Amino acid sequence: MTKIDAQGLYYRDLNQKIREAVAAGTTEIVLDNVNGQYFIGDGINRPVTIAINGVPGNDLAAFMNGATIVVNDNAQDNIGNTMNAGKVIVHGHAGDVLGYGMRGGRVHIRKDVGYRVGIHMKSYESNKPVLIAGGKAGDFFGEYMAGGVLILLDMFSDEPEKPKHGFRFGTGMHGGTIFVRGGVDETKLSREVGVFELTDEDRLELEGYLKEYCNDFGIDYTEVAKEEFVKVLPRSRRPYGNLYCPMPR
Amino acid sequence: MLYKSVTESFNEFIIDRNDATCIRCKVCVRQCAYEVHAYEATADALTEDNTLCIGCRRCSALCPTGAITIRSNEEVFKRNESWSNAHIRNLYAQADTGGILLAAMGNPAKYPIYWDHMLLDASQVTNPSIDPLREPMELRTYLGKKPHSIEVVRDEQTGKPKLATKLTPQIKMEYPFIFSAMSYGALNLNAHKAMAMAAKELGTLYNTGEGGLHRDLYQYGSNVMVQVASGRFGVSEAYLNAGVAIEIKVGQGAKPGIGGHLPGEKVNDQISETRMIPAGADAISPAPHHDIYSIEDLRQLIFALKEATNYTKPVSVKIAAVHHVAAIASGVARAGADIITIDGFRGGTGAAPQVIRDNVGIPMELALAAVDARLRDEGIRNQVSIVVGGGVRSSGDAIKAIALGADAINMGTSTLLALGCTLCQRCYTGKCPWGITTNTPYLAKRLNPELGAERLVNLVHAWGHEMKEILGGMGLNALESLRGNRYKLRALGLTEKDMNILGVMPAGE
């Protein structure tokens, strides 16, 4: 195990130390006193585990390919930007634009998430990204989503009076699935999506994701399963197919 | 009121077939991707449906007896200087469909072309010109951030001078030309192979565009610039490390403020694998990167990419030439980009709304001059290399761009032309008769990558020779001596304001 004290370290120096530790063959790294340093875990392509004590900065796990990051506090924006594989666990809340273009792996957030979460998420063959938020979500949840799974629980929030999710839910969505515990506010859905009941297959798939999530946070799965989930899907895989007309010949 | 579509009623092209020379070989039938030609066996005659013709000239070019001539339909609407035939026909099409007119390639509208109003200098009597055939002449170009100053120390062991300043990564190119970003998907693999092979042969770069890098092309990594756009297609840690540079695509000259959208029909198995999206799925790449709303955010993405590649690759940021391009470029430079790519309003595209393509953006000549001047004024010109594209049609245009301050030129439309494109502007149909912007195997095999690469190499060699001749004529022996040297340009027929922006004196002065 490698321990790094991030107190007062510039992000570039901190990430250099992490890269050096990974290159040296460490499988477990603990970062103490992290205070907003950007790009932690960026581009790491080995199955190391990085535990973060403190609040990491933006672009945590960007372009990451196979590592695991556990944040024992809150986290900020852009987690899992274009992440290929691996896992991020955040024990607090997280910010905007999570899982941008994410193509594989898991992002588990215990509490609330911000705007545009799950934007451009894609799945491809065996790669199927899953992002679970235990609290509430901001506007544009699942924007341009093309694949993968987004799950919103509305169970653990710092701001219980806030609505479960914001407006323009699923705008531009043309692939993938969003599961929401306890239903969605249909007045806030975008035109491109519809609400559906879960099939038995869905339930089985969802149970797998949720059990892993519960396991990460020490949550009782039966509590999560107490409420029904709904499924939000795009109405079309070609939302903008009829927008254009060719130039006349 | 018309009860047929505008195309059926007022078609643009007429096919003349000379029945006496036609040998009924049916090449035209097989070659036309738009099914214009047909063979009537009972009459032993070839017929044509003029309403389907897009004027690509594939049939006339391949007809073995030259029996086919494509001409424009002389039948016109009543002459009207305000309502051109094109305006009328476009309006009809929109009344038919309610759709946004979709166009391709660069802006074909009649706007001033500033290249045609600038002339180059040459040496006479007082300063000797140089003969590039017999004297060394250098076109070598380095892209990347240059230090404000350098420190040279004596190497203790060898006693020779050595550079003490640590340079950030530089890309060495033997020619100031890059095969411009045209995605795999918009173009097929044969076209990408041709560009990659040519870039390797020439010692220059090929830009992947936003559709990822096919696995067969990773071997060309040292001549590849990989692009990252808002849709993040095919972007992975391996992809970012595959090339020698990374480009963030913010904008494109053909459609500033508009994103990319590869229709699902064009996403076949190979493209699906490279873009890492399911086959048949739309590939939507909106104009905004939703993680970039400011210069600070841009800086964050630039450094996310640098961190992912351990600071070994220069990062380029591509923007469209728009009104405040100089201020934007200054922000981009300060955000930490190593290269700024500016795409003028004549830059091409596989698909764009026609109204955007023809009306948005500014000419690259003016944008380049403004950006170069602004960065010099601010003392940060050394922090970035400038790559320009969008409307360079010849080595003459290219060398004028260098004199206006460009470090290198993106070749987009010229690349396609070298591969056989006839500018029919129908790339978005996926039926390119020349096998370039199509993913249909029957059509794509018309483009032979080896021959394509050879033609691209020929073109760059030819332009290189011509540039050396021009440089020699000016008494310069390196392209570097001409960079930003606007004293070597003179304007003809431009306004005072134009000349101020271009930083060029009038001819005769």
Side-chain angles (χ1 to χ4, degrees):
Chain A
M1 189 188 77
T2 308
K3 240 176 154 30
I4 300 170
D5 184 0
Q7 182 76 52
L9 268 187
Y10 185 48
Y11 74 77
R12 213 170 146 165
D13 301 323
L14 174 61
N15 292 325
Q16 186 59 37
K17 279 177 190 266
I18 296 171
R19 275 197 291 272
E20 280 166 10
V22 172
T26 314
T27 55
E28 224 175 309
I29 301 170
V30 177
L31 309 178
D32 286 328
N33 301 314
V34 171
N35 191 5
Q37 282 95 342
Y38 280 13
F39 313 125
I40 294 174
D42 187 345
I44 302 280
N45 60 4
R46 297 208 200 159
V48 297
T49 301
I50 304 173
I52 298 177
N53 296 315
V55 178
N58 294 353
D59 268 318
L60 177 75
F63 308 106
M64 194 169 83
N65 194 11
T68 298
I69 296 182
V70 181
V71 181
N72 294 315
D73 207 317
N74 296 326
Q76 299 187 348
D77 301 341
N78 288 75
I79 298 172
N81 179 359
T82 325
M83 181 170 128
N84 218 38
K87 189 172 189 179
V88 180
I89 300 166
V90 176
H91 282 267
H93 60 69
D96 302 335
V97 198
L98 309 183
Y100 187 143
M102 181 181 162
R103 187 182 301 118
R106 299 274 187 276
V107 172
H108 290 174
I109 312 289
R110 168 119 191 175
K111 292 183 184 171
D112 299 338
V113 295
Y115 300 118
R116 300 191 196 276
V117 168
I119 181 170
H120 285 299
M121 254 168 77
K122 299 170 171 55
S123 62
Y124 171 66
E125 290 185 346
S126 59
N127 279 356
K128 191 169 185 180
V130 179
L131 191 153
I132 307 178
K136 298 166 187 299
D139 299 336
F140 301 101
F141 194 64
E143 188 177 22
Y144 300 114
M145 193 171 164
V149 177
L150 268 175
I151 303 174
L152 185 63
L153 299 182
D154 189 25
M155 291 178 73
F156 316 105
S157 177
D158 289 337
E159 295 173 274
E161 73 288 350
K162 259 179 48 175
K164 183 187 290 186
H165 59 82
F167 76 158
R168 297 265 171 179
F169 186 107
T171 187
M173 183 176 179
H174 54 289
T177 312
I178 306 180
F179 294 108
V180 185
R181 186 176 180 270
V184 286
D185 179 349
E186 298 204 18
T187 64
K188 291 182 176 170
L189 295 190
S190 75
R191 279 179 307 187
E192 292 95 328
V193 296
V195 185
F196 301 87
E197 277 185 24
L198 272 66
T199 63
D200 290 342
E201 263 177 32
D202 290 334
R203 274 179 234 284
L204 203 65
E205 185 185 345
L206 181 62
E207 185 182 324
Y209 301 141
L210 291 175
K211 282 192 166 160
E212 185 180 333
Y213 179 85
C214 290
N215 192 39
D216 286 341
F217 294 113
I219 298 166
D220 180 5
Y221 171 70
T222 53
E223 278 299 311
V224 179
K226 264 183 187 164
E227 247 195 281
E228 262 304 301
F229 279 79
V230 296
K231 180 169 75 168
V232 178
L233 293 179
R235 292 179 193 277
S236 160
R237 288 174 63 76
R238 306 284 315 275
Y240 309 112
N242 296 324
L243 200 56
Y244 301 102
C245 112
M247 299 281 284
R249 292 184 294 269
Chain B
M1 194 173 124
L2 270 177
Y3 291 97
K4 289 191 290 183
S5 74
V6 50
T7 296
E8 289 167 304
S9 308
F10 306 122
N11 52 297
E12 192 173 1
F13 298 101
I14 300 281
I15 294 157
D16 271 350
R17 193 188 308 273
N18 185 339
D19 194 57
T21 50
C22 173
I23 55 171
R24 275 61 170 171
C25 68
K26 307 185 223 30
V27 160
C28 50
V29 179
R30 290 190 296 275
Q31 292 295 328
C32 182
Y34 291 84
E35 299 177 332
V36 170
H37 303 271
Y39 177 66
E40 307 286 347
T42 45
D44 185 33
L46 282 143
T47 57
E48 59 280 326
D49 181 349
N50 289 322
T51 67
L52 298 175
C53 180
I54 53 145
C56 72
R57 296 204 48 193
R58 178 80 187 178
C59 58
S60 66
L62 269 76
C63 176
T65 58
I68 299 173
T69 305
I70 309 292
R71 53 182 173 78
S72 56
N73 188 353
E74 297 91 352
E75 195 184 39
V76 291
F77 298 103
K78 184 175 166 64
R79 185 185 170 94
N80 188 316
E81 294 294 342
S82 175
W83 288 90
S84 71
N85 278 262
H87 281 112
I88 296 171
R89 286 157 38 83
N90 289 348
L91 188 146
Y92 284 159
Q94 292 193 287
D96 278 349
T97 64
I100 293 172
L101 281 172
L102 198 59
M105 297 308 293
N107 187 339
K110 195 174 160 74
Y111 290 102
I113 296 176
Y114 286 85
W115 304 129
D116 299 340
H117 291 271
M118 285 186 283
L119 294 165
L120 289 154
D121 193 20
S123 303
Q124 296 295 301
V125 186
T126 55
N127 51 343
S129 48
I130 300 169
D131 179 355
L133 296 180
R134 275 157 284 273
E135 293 188 53
M137 186 66 70
E138 190 177 272
L139 299 179
R140 184 172 291 170
T141 296
Y142 289 91
L143 296 184
K145 215 178 270 299
K146 309 295 185 292
H148 283 284
S149 60
I150 54 166
E151 190 191 349
V152 179
V153 295
R154 187 175 295 279
D155 190 306
E156 301 268 320
Q157 285 179 335
T158 61
K160 288 182 178 168
K162 161 179 111 168
L163 193 62
T165 312
K166 194 169 180 300
L167 292 178
T168 51
Q170 303 287 322
I171 300 167
K172 181 171 143 188
M173 303 200 304
E174 297 302 331
Y175 290 88
F177 294 111
I178 298 171
F179 298 115
S180 187
M182 296 176 280
S183 75
Y184 175 46
L187 268 56
N188 58 39
L189 188 57
N190 287 342
H192 269 244
K193 274 185 187 158
M195 291 191 287
M197 285 190 283
K200 186 175 183 186
E201 165 93 22
L202 290 162
T204 171
L205 290 184
Y206 130 75
N207 189 321
T208 60
E210 65 161 305
L213 182 65
H214 190 277
R215 58 186 145 79
D216 291 354
L217 301 181
Y218 270 68
Q219 56 174 310
Y220 297 99
S222 51
N223 298 94
V224 171
M225 179 185 280
V226 298
Q227 201 183 54
V228 174
S230 66
R232 302 284 203 272
F233 299 112
V235 178
S236 66
E237 159 268 330
Y239 169 77
L240 296 177
N241 282 291
V244 289
I246 302 171
E247 180 164 275
I248 300 170
K249 180 197 168 186
V250 172
Q252 184 178 345
K255 43 179 172 179
I258 296 285
H261 180 175
L262 187 71
E265 295 89 31
K266 276 185 116 171
V267 182
N268 63 22
D269 287 347
Q270 298 242 313
I271 288 158
S272 143
E273 183 187 327
T274 304
R275 291 198 172 217
M276 302 188 207
I277 54 170
D282 272 17
I284 299 176
S285 210
H289 288 242
H290 279 300
D291 53 346
I292 305 177
Y293 286 3
S294 65
I295 292 296
E296 291 77 8
D297 289 348
L298 176 63
R299 183 180 183 82
Q300 190 179 309
L301 183 57
I302 290 171
F303 282 87
L305 294 167
K306 290 190 175 193
E307 283 280 339
T309 53
N310 201 12
Y311 298 88
T312 55
K313 327 264 180 207
V315 173
S316 163
V317 174
K318 179 176 183 176
I319 54 172
V322 289
H323 296 182
H324 299 289
V325 66
I328 297 161
S330 166
V332 170
R334 291 169 194 280
D338 303 272
I339 300 164
I340 299 178
T341 301
I342 306 163
D343 202 16
F345 81 149
R346 287 185 188 281
T349 176
Q354 182 249 357
V355 68
I356 304 283
R357 183 195 66 178
D358 295 357
N359 295 287
V360 181
I362 64 169
M364 185 255 276
E365 301 92 305
L366 298 174
L368 166 60
V371 168
D372 179 68
R374 173 73 173 252
L375 298 183
R376 281 167 190 267
D377 287 350
E378 295 184 1
I380 55 172
R381 178 64 184 84
N382 61 300
Q383 287 185 23
V384 282
S385 293
I386 299 178
V387 176
V388 293
V392 170
R393 304 157 299 172
S394 65
S395 64
D397 293 351
I399 205 151
K400 289 172 190 172
I402 299 284
L404 281 180
D407 287 287
I409 317 291
N410 263 342
M411 294 172 62
T413 302
S414 52
T415 295
L416 298 186
L417 288 171
L419 294 177
C421 165
T422 52
L423 277 176
C424 74
Q425 304 176 25
R426 300 277 169 181
C427 317
Y428 54 87
T429 63
K431 294 198 270 192
C432 176
W434 299 94
I436 305 166
T437 60
T438 175
N439 304 318
T440 307
Y442 175 70
L443 297 172
K445 73 178 183 207
R446 294 177 181 181
L447 176 59
N448 177 314
E450 282 80 21
L451 293 180
E454 199 179 306
R455 293 177 61 82
L456 291 174
V457 169
N458 283 345
L459 177 66
V460 172
H461 278 162
W463 283 12
H465 281 309
E466 289 177 340
M467 287 169 92
K468 286 178 179 177
E469 291 284 354
I470 297 168
L471 283 174
M474 289 193 274
L476 302 175
N477 61 7
L479 201 58
E480 199 56 43
S481 307
L482 184 69
R483 282 216 165 82
N485 187 351
R486 301 182 196 189
Y487 195 69
K488 294 291 183 194
L489 291 172
R490 288 292 186 274
L492 196 64
L494 292 180
T495 66
E496 186 95 33
K497 190 70 191 170
D498 284 335
M499 288 188 287
N500 284 345
I501 294 167
L502 289 167
V504 172
M505 292 192 286
E509 204 170 89

